[in-house]
Amino acid sequence: MSKTILLVDDEVGILRALTRVLQRAGYRVLTAENGAQGLQALVGQQVALVISDFRMPGMKGSEFLQQVKAIYPNTIGMILSAYADRDALLECMNSGAAWRFLEKPWNDDQLLQEIDLALAERDRRYAESQRTNLLMSSDEALLELSANGQVLRFNSAATHVLGLQPSELRGKVLADLFDDINPIELATFFHKKDHDMVLHCHRDNYVSISHRISDLYHYLLRLTPVQELRNQVFDGLASVLDLPTLRSRIENMLLSQQPQFAVVELSVMDYQRFSDTLLEALLDELLVRCAEMLQQNLPFKALLAYISADRFAVVFPDHKSETELQQQINQLLSPFNTQMQIGVDRLQINFCVGYALSPDDGDTAKQLLHHAGVACRQNEANPKAFYLRFDREMVELKRQHFEISNSLVSAMEEQQFQLYFQPKIDLKTGRCDEAEALIRWHHPTMGWVSPALFIPIAERDGQIMAIGQWVLEKCIQQLATWRQQGVALKRLAINLSGRQLQDARLPQILSGLLAHYQLAASTIELEITETFLMADIQSSAELLASLKAQGCHLAMDDFGTGYSSLAYLAKLPVDVLKLDRSLLLDLEDSPQCASMVRHMIRMAHELGLQVVAEGIESEGQVRLLREMSCDLVQGFVFSTALDLASFTLYLQQQPAVAQLEQFADA
Ligand code: C2E
Ligand code: MG
Ligand code: MG
């Protein structure tokens, strides 16, 4: 089928001339005289390429192509114009909305050559988006390799099958992941795309790899564990189905138009800990006992399957409401309320539960199982309730996480991160002598992405180490620059993530950077969150002590969101307590809240700590905190986080001095 090209130009003569050239070359051509008409012409058409004039009445060509890109990301945009505003054109090209700029008058042969290139680019983008969609939505284990065999992307099922962390996979080649690869067999495999190959992976199981969709430049491979786990563990338990059998039973239920039924996924909580500590035979025994207990309690006509290492699926065919389903799940899991004797250990087994309901949450068996799994994993990652029903937003969230996770890799190389600085105001003087460095990420298509969203993902994927190192170095470098410029800032606070704090090299890295930039450690304050500290008080106390010994200030961030234990605080070498925004929201309206905060500040002072109140938005909060002798305030009432230039100006102008006086006078 011939490819379709849309031409947009306000000069009808040009549209006619171009149409003739393109039709002669075998393209299907649509035309429009302005951007608005152009957008209408695109509806319902599979347009591969849009060639637009730049200067047109109404919408400019750049604006039009930006909109095209937002709605049809795989369609290529080109500008063909005698004139273009340089800045708008650059922005349009940099954002990817326009792929090429061609000058009028054009040369027919050159134009057709450019179109060939543009269409090849479109095919590349289309194939990429297909691979992306598969990676995101398929429950098969998928691994994407570049033409030279390096791992580019993968989904969580692939990490699961290979038993590796995402950071252990990225950038590797197949030979790093599997043992004894025969190079000739490997070459044949990549050459003949209908071949599959069985390889032995380090986790000690065999995995079959086959091509899902591959082209000249990218291979998307499917990984399938060869030894069916179920067969190994559940040889004697025929009533525990395997995944393919459960899938076909569900298909049959759908075909026979069985009214509402539920697909429930149960994952053994803390399985990793069991698997790390139990002998293999005992781990199998644990799974078999779980299966037996589930089987004994299974309602009439319900189905039970073992679907992967720590996961079971149950289909409940018979319930009148969601409440009834939840009662059935409670009933099914009630025997697990008592501990289980495995070998010499008594173990408490808990399950994490997610479910999907037919017909609302999926049309096929594959979808229902996938969606129950999505809900279960979401519940594991962020436990809100005992059971969680699938919700379409979860897929959206997963998609967003996936996109963030993949983009984080290039974000650093492409210098998409920036540091912003939020002033901390001294409540005695109104001066800003300290600030907190906060990272900002401008993603080329998603725009600004909140650190609250991407930092946890970077933590999970291991990218946080590189990001954290970048933040440390940038902060120290900036402090050195300010010192050279004579800009006074007593101290800059830097957020450290839990992973960074588990890295025993941290004190060394820090002292190396400080020495390189000839900076005193006392200009740095490291913010650590309470949740991390409480997780392993002994080793964190040691690491904090060595950071402290160098002369850094230490702050406990987000106090009030976790354990909030002042008793622990006394044992740790921290200098500063940061009261979280959530503790201070009701300060003005609730006498109980005010009294609690007053006590906290007093006790912190008795422990010799400085107190910073975070997220302060109102004048009333500032007045109360000042009266309670809180030391510093950080929040929108004084300033949001500022970019480098604005913050440097803020330091010079010190606007909060007058602001605080006004608050006192009011
Ligand atoms: P955090 O360390 O508790 O930082 C304070 C957050 O509260 C910042 O959000 C800040 O912009 C916001 N905030 C400050 N004043 C107000 C206010 O008056 N009202 C409200 N509603 N919010 C206020 P941000 O910048 O989005 O950062 C969120 C979290 O991301 C930070 O919480 C921190 O945990 C993490 N983060 C930010 N930058 C870094 C970094 O460089 N490294 C690491 N590891 N984590 C970072
Ligand atoms: Mg902080
Ligand atoms: Mg905080």
Side-chain angles (χ1 to χ4, degrees):
M1 205 175 83
S2 58
K3 293 210 162 133
T4 305
I5 299 178
L6 169 67
L7 301 173
V8 185
D9 203 305
D10 56 334
E11 284 186 61
V12 181
I14 290 193
L15 285 180
R16 261 195 230 117
L18 278 172
T19 304
R20 227 175 298 130
V21 177
L22 299 186
Q23 281 180 340
R24 220 179 294 140
Y27 295 111
R28 179 173 165 250
V29 179
L30 304 173
T31 57
E33 285 174 39
N34 54 48
Q37 264 185 24
L39 288 172
Q40 268 177 3
L42 285 165
V43 180
Q45 304 284 343
Q46 293 288 319
V47 175
L49 173 67
V50 175
I51 302 179
S52 170
D53 188 9
F54 192 84
R55 222 170 18 178
M56 295 185 286
M59 209 184 291
K60 266 203 260 167
S62 51
E63 206 184 314
F64 164 62
L65 288 182
Q66 299 279 12
Q67 294 202 32
V68 172
K69 178 170 178 264
I71 312 171
Y72 309 98
N74 294 326
T75 299
I76 304 284
M78 256 169 42
I79 289 189
L80 179 63
S81 180
Y83 163 87
D85 162 359
R86 195 175 152 271
D87 288 346
L89 180 67
L90 270 179
E91 196 192 324
C92 190
M93 310 247 329
N94 286 340
S95 69
W99 187 67
R100 279 273 197 281
F101 169 61
L102 304 178
E103 265 192 282
K104 282 179 189 164
W106 67 90
N107 164 307
D108 285 356
D109 289 338
Q110 222 172 8
L111 176 70
L112 290 172
Q113 246 174 34
E114 288 291 348
I115 289 176
D116 273 346
L117 290 175
L119 292 174
E121 167 68 5
R122 184 202 116 101
D123 289 345
R124 192 196 63 74
R125 283 190 202 175
Y126 182 68
E128 179 170 297
S129 77
Q130 250 193 329
R131 290 194 303 272
T132 306
N133 284 339
L134 267 174
L135 275 163
M136 276 183 315
S137 58
S138 170
D139 55 5
E140 295 174 324
L142 297 172
L143 194 66
E144 186 189 44
L145 303 184
S146 65
N148 60 10
Q150 264 192 334
V151 174
L152 295 174
R153 297 186 292 178
F154 42 84
N155 58 10
S156 55
T159 56
H160 202 228
V161 166
L162 294 168
L164 295 172
Q165 293 297 319
S167 54
E168 297 174 281
L169 256 175
R170 205 163 275 126
K172 296 283 161 55
V173 292
L174 285 186
D176 296 324
L177 310 176
F178 300 98
D179 297 324
D180 306 326
I181 296 187
N182 175 335
I184 299 174
E185 203 188 336
L186 190 66
T188 318
F189 169 77
F190 281 120
H191 182 63
K192 294 195 171 173
K193 307 254 160 37
D194 54 349
H195 270 215
D196 69 356
M197 188 164 69
V198 173
L199 295 170
H200 183 240
C201 83
H202 304 330
R203 195 197 181 194
D204 208 26
N205 60 355
Y206 286 90
V207 174
S208 146
I209 62 172
S210 54
H211 289 273
R212 185 67 178 76
I213 36 169
S214 297
D215 56 27
L216 275 180
Y217 305 107
H218 294 91
Y219 305 111
L220 190 65
L221 307 180
R222 183 197 290 118
L223 312 176
T224 323
V226 172
Q227 285 162 311
E228 269 300 334
L229 265 163
R230 187 210 152 267
N231 295 345
Q232 288 172 21
V233 186
F234 296 110
D235 249 358
L237 279 175
S239 55
V240 181
L241 311 176
D242 62 10
L243 184 59
T245 316
L246 182 71
R247 210 182 268 171
S248 68
R249 294 279 191 93
I250 299 176
E251 288 299 356
N252 288 342
M253 288 166 80
L254 288 166
L255 282 174
S256 65
Q257 301 196 326
Q258 173 117 6
Q260 170 162 317
F261 63 91
V263 179
V264 181
E265 185 170 306
L266 309 165
S267 75
V268 179
M269 278 161 132
D270 263 348
Y271 180 78
Q272 192 57 45
R273 189 166 54 85
F274 295 133
S275 135
D276 290 345
T277 50
L278 291 181
L279 294 173
E280 203 172 317
L282 291 180
L283 193 64
D284 286 356
E285 186 184 330
L286 183 144
L287 291 171
V288 171
R289 292 274 295 284
C290 286
E292 282 170 350
M293 282 159 79
L294 292 169
Q295 186 67 56
Q296 277 160 16
N297 236 7
L298 214 56
F300 181 57
K301 285 195 195 160
L303 304 171
L304 171 69
Y306 178 63
I307 55 175
S308 72
D310 57 338
R311 286 164 201 280
F312 292 90
V314 179
V315 175
F316 288 91
D318 201 16
H319 54 271
K320 287 175 191 63
S321 65
E322 237 179 293
T323 320
E324 201 181 311
L325 168 70
Q326 293 178 353
Q327 282 165 357
Q328 290 186 357
I329 298 174
N330 283 342
Q331 173 68 25
L332 177 71
L333 297 179
S334 59
F336 294 93
N337 290 338
T338 52
Q339 291 187 326
M340 197 188 270
Q341 185 79 38
I342 300 287
V344 290
D345 297 313
R346 287 185 68 74
L347 305 178
Q348 176 61 50
I349 306 294
N350 295 308
F351 286 96
C352 186
V353 184
Y355 61 87
L357 298 182
S358 161
D360 293 352
D361 299 337
D363 303 327
T364 62
K366 203 170 159 186
Q367 252 180 17
L368 286 164
L369 279 159
H370 177 58
H371 289 165
V374 169
C376 185
R377 279 188 292 276
Q378 165 95 4
N379 204 6
E380 276 168 16
N382 189 7
K384 288 221 170 73
F386 177 53
Y387 9 63
L388 194 64
R389 179 177 170 183
F390 169 75
D391 173 342
R392 305 253 158 217
E393 266 182 30
M394 290 176 186
V395 178
E396 193 38 51
L397 204 70
K398 213 175 137 201
R399 192 189 162 88
Q400 195 186 33
H401 280 203
F402 178 85
E403 204 170 323
I404 289 175
S405 166
N406 277 327
S407 316
L408 273 173
V409 183
S410 49
M412 186 76 77
E413 286 160 21
E414 289 167 17
Q415 302 183 356
Q416 291 164 4
F417 293 121
Q418 285 176 47
L419 276 189
Y420 271 49
F421 305 90
Q422 188 175 31
K424 292 192 203 171
I425 304 303
D426 185 325
L427 283 183
K428 288 198 190 76
T429 61
R431 281 190 58 82
C432 163
D433 299 312
E434 298 185 37
E436 176 176 7
L438 293 163
I439 194 167
R440 294 290 176 261
W441 179 21
H442 194 264
H443 184 279
T445 54
M446 286 186 278
W448 293 103
V449 184
S450 161
L453 187 63
F454 76 80
I455 293 281
I457 297 175
E459 280 246 358
R460 194 196 58 197
D461 289 0
Q463 312 273 0
I464 193 68
M465 300 308 275
I467 297 175
Q469 171 93 10
W470 178 86
V471 171
L472 261 185
E473 170 141 28
K474 263 280 185 231
C475 285
I476 293 176
Q477 194 184 34
Q478 188 54 51
L479 278 166
T481 311
W482 277 325
R483 186 189 50 194
Q484 259 173 17
Q485 294 170 340
V487 177
L489 186 74
K490 194 166 93 190
R491 194 166 293 122
L492 183 62
I494 304 172
N495 289 284
L496 287 187
S497 81
R499 275 235 198 174
Q500 277 175 289
L501 280 160
Q502 280 160 1
D503 184 358
R505 293 168 307 170
L506 182 69
Q508 249 178 326
I509 294 175
L510 194 66
S511 64
L513 283 172
L514 289 168
H516 180 78
Y517 289 97
Q518 298 182 340
L519 215 69
S522 59
T523 50
I524 297 284
E525 181 164 294
L526 300 171
E527 292 194 4
I528 295 144
T529 61
E530 198 197 0
T531 352
F532 167 73
L533 290 181
M534 298 308 166
D536 185 354
I537 191 108
Q538 184 56 38
S539 70
S540 40
E542 282 163 21
L543 196 110
L544 294 188
S546 67
L547 291 170
K548 177 84 187 159
Q550 290 187 25
C552 298
H553 257 224
L554 298 176
M556 184 175 283
D557 200 359
D558 301 345
F559 190 78
T561 53
Y563 302 89
S564 308
S565 162
L566 284 160
Y568 272 122
L569 267 187
K571 295 188 188 153
L572 294 166
V574 287
D575 309 275
V576 178
L577 185 66
K578 293 194 83 176
L579 299 180
D580 191 71
R581 174 171 180 265
S582 57
L583 268 186
L584 305 162
L585 279 175
D586 291 335
L587 202 58
E588 290 170 272
D589 305 325
S590 149
Q592 289 88 342
C593 168
S595 157
M596 182 188 67
V597 172
R598 190 185 299 277
H599 276 96
M600 281 185 164
I601 295 178
R602 192 175 306 146
M603 285 175 73
H605 281 162
E606 278 169 16
L607 291 171
L609 305 179
Q610 195 187 34
V611 181
V612 182
E614 263 198 291
I616 301 305
E617 295 182 354
S618 79
E619 193 181 318
Q621 284 172 304
V622 174
R623 246 188 257 118
L624 275 170
L625 287 162
R626 201 176 186 194
E627 186 240 308
M628 292 174 184
S629 305
C630 176
D631 302 288
L632 298 168
V633 151
Q634 181 184 343
F636 297 170
V637 67
F638 289 116
S639 174
T640 55
L642 302 170
D643 63 25
L644 177 60
S646 315
F647 178 66
T648 312
L649 205 65
Y650 192 97
L651 283 179
Q652 285 155 354
Q653 295 181 338
Q654 296 290 346
V657 175
Q659 215 180 334
L660 195 65
E661 273 170 21
Q662 265 175 16
F663 290 177
D665 291 345

